Amino acid sequence: MKISKQAKELVSHIDLWLKVYIPKTCGYSVQTVMSYKQVMRLYVEYLEEKKSVTVDSFSDICFSRETVESWLIWLQNGRGGKPCSRRTRDHRLTVIRSLLKYLQSRDIAYAKRYIESCEIPMISHGRGKVVAPLSKVAMKAFFASIDCNTIAGKRDYALFSFMYDTGCRVGEVLSVKTCDLILDHRSPYVIVKGKGNKDRCLILSEKTVNTLKAYIAYFSIPYDAKTYLFHSSHKGRTEKMSADAVNTRLYAISYTAHKTCPEIPLKMHSHQIRHSAATHWFMDGINIAMISEYLGHASLETTRVYLGISREELETALRKREYMPLDQPKKYKIQGGLRGLLGL
């Protein structure tokens, strides 16, 4: 297979970006790295199928503004399937910018391509649809609608109780392994791995601890470093539960709960549990600095916007800042063509 010198260097840079820079230097999660790899797979697919780019012709010109913009239009037109949303389109543009920013740090010849990509405008104008929190009454109705007499219901109750008690993102919850739970400590807690591979320790309520113990005992789940707390079994294999599976269960429960409490949407989103938990903490007088730490936010400003409170309320809360004492430990199958060369 004939490969030009520039193509070899470009492939090497992209490989380091995906396998070293993003996961290790930037500390991005496995899910984020996979999403970046998927974007690159789509980009290379476009280069090969629509631009007839070969292994030998792979060069910086493949990242010209004209090429990137035509790729974005191809994505928005559905690439033969379902069109992507504006927000998804902007995320994929962000990934290409990230790559080009890295490439220019490795070779100044890519500076022009990076500058060109920064001139392509975003079109989603915001963070997308706002996820509204539910009231305490609605959350109570939600949990009352879970049928704990069924096997699925027992797991659902433990799963959503854990999510509501900790305010974790669904991906963080599904990544918790049984060895991350410290349930017999005088202040039971869980170690959660958040964005940027940063660990944070979250205190668990007595009710949630009892729920988890009952759940673990009922399903005979072992305490070890390999077993996910919330998992699914397929063909004899125990695997990490997927976010889609969580949403499927959430839709079923919220559909039932909506009949008794119309405030609960017919298709409840997992993020509503996180948002509801944070809002209820704030209503109960827990300091915003502590809420920010529990949610894993990078700044208090993020938490302020998240909770929809004013800067004046934030300043008042900070003047009353309190800290909760925590007794916790410190802490290639090779294919042909360009995609095969890049391992995509």
Side-chain angles (χ1 to χ4, degrees):
M1 182 187 294
K2 183 180 179 182
I3 306 176
S4 68
K5 180 181 178 182
Q6 185 177 15
K8 284 182 181 178
E9 292 176 348
L10 182 51
V11 167
S12 176
H13 290 326
I14 294 176
D15 190 57
L16 285 172
W17 175 69
L18 283 172
K19 296 180 179 177
V20 179
Y21 183 73
I22 288 177
K24 298 180 180 178
T25 304
C26 297
Y28 288 177
S29 68
V30 173
Q31 291 86 350
T32 300
V33 174
M34 289 301 294
S35 72
Y36 273 45
K37 189 171 183 178
Q38 173 62 16
V39 172
M40 283 307 302
R41 188 178 292 117
L42 288 171
Y43 195 77
V44 173
E45 177 186 335
Y46 174 76
L47 292 178
E48 288 188 318
E49 296 182 2
K50 301 299 178 180
K51 294 294 183 179
S52 301
V53 173
T54 63
V55 169
D56 191 49
S57 60
F58 190 46
S59 66
D60 73 297
I61 198 67
C62 295
F63 294 92
S64 66
R65 176 171 181 171
E66 179 185 3
T67 302
V68 174
E69 287 182 327
S70 61
W71 172 67
L72 293 173
I73 293 172
W74 178 68
L75 292 174
Q76 287 180 275
N77 288 338
R79 58 189 181 89
K82 183 180 178 181
C84 71
S85 67
R86 290 186 169 208
R87 192 177 178 192
T88 299
R89 175 263 193 198
D90 284 355
H91 168 261
R92 289 170 178 170
L93 172 56
T94 299
V95 173
I96 296 300
R97 283 182 182 172
S98 172
L99 169 62
L100 293 174
K101 185 176 182 180
Y102 173 77
L103 289 176
Q104 76 157 0
S105 72
R106 308 293 296 181
D107 188 338
I108 195 63
Y110 291 94
K112 177 185 176 182
R113 303 305 178 195
Y114 172 62
I115 293 172
E116 286 179 343
S117 72
C118 291
E119 292 174 348
I120 301 174
M122 297 288 187
I123 61 175
S124 63
H125 304 298
R127 294 176 59 85
K129 185 178 180 180
V130 175
V131 177
L134 301 180
S135 67
K136 291 184 178 182
V137 172
M139 286 305 304
K140 186 175 181 179
F142 170 79
F143 281 107
S145 298
I146 300 176
D147 185 0
C148 294
N149 292 317
T150 65
I151 292 178
K154 292 180 188 299
R155 183 186 64 182
D156 292 343
Y157 193 84
L159 169 63
F160 296 124
S161 293
F162 183 82
M163 289 180 67
Y164 182 60
D165 196 32
T166 62
C168 287
R169 304 172 179 90
V170 66
E172 294 172 341
V173 172
L174 298 180
S175 294
V176 170
K177 296 180 179 178
T178 50
C179 65
D180 298 323
L181 292 170
I182 313 298
L183 301 181
D184 293 321
H185 193 269
R186 64 185 180 83
S187 295
Y189 63 93
V190 61
I191 300 174
V192 175
K193 190 170 293 294
K195 288 187 174 181
N197 263 349
K198 295 178 181 177
D199 289 346
R200 62 184 193 277
C201 297
L202 307 178
I203 295 294
L204 298 172
S205 68
E206 182 180 356
K207 183 177 180 180
T208 297
V209 169
N210 292 334
T211 297
L212 290 176
K213 284 183 175 180
Y215 161 74
I216 291 171
Y218 182 83
F219 289 99
S220 301
I221 304 174
Y223 283 92
D224 56 41
K226 296 181 179 180
T227 306
Y228 288 103
L229 178 59
F230 300 105
H231 56 267
S232 59
S233 298
H234 181 65
K235 294 182 179 179
R237 299 193 308 272
T238 298
E239 301 174 341
K240 179 179 180 179
M241 192 176 180
S242 69
D244 285 343
V246 173
N247 284 326
T248 297
R249 296 303 306 151
L250 198 52
Y251 293 164
I253 297 167
S254 60
Y255 180 82
T256 301
H258 179 79
K259 297 175 183 177
T260 57
C261 181
E263 180 191 339
I264 299 175
L266 288 173
K267 283 195 173 183
M268 192 171 161
H269 191 281
S270 59
H271 203 74
Q272 281 181 290
I273 298 179
R274 170 175 163 85
H275 202 161
S276 299
T279 302
H280 299 166
W281 293 341
F282 189 68
M283 290 168 61
D284 290 340
I286 297 179
N287 193 272
I288 190 173
M290 190 182 301
I291 294 174
S292 183
E293 182 178 343
Y294 258 55
L295 292 176
H297 284 166
S299 69
L300 287 177
E301 178 65 14
T302 301
T303 309
R304 182 189 74 78
V305 174
Y306 190 82
L307 294 176
I309 64 177
S310 66
R311 289 184 179 276
E312 291 72 21
E313 288 176 304
L314 173 61
E315 291 171 2
T316 299
L318 289 177
R319 284 196 293 270
K320 299 177 181 178
R321 180 182 300 180
E322 296 176 355
Y323 293 94
M324 180 185 294
L326 300 178
D327 183 12
Q328 301 164 351
K330 299 292 182 187
K331 341 194 221 185
Y332 273 133
K333 183 178 179 179
I334 301 299
Q335 299 177 356
L338 191 53
R339 273 171 283 186
L341 187 63
L342 287 166
L344 298 172

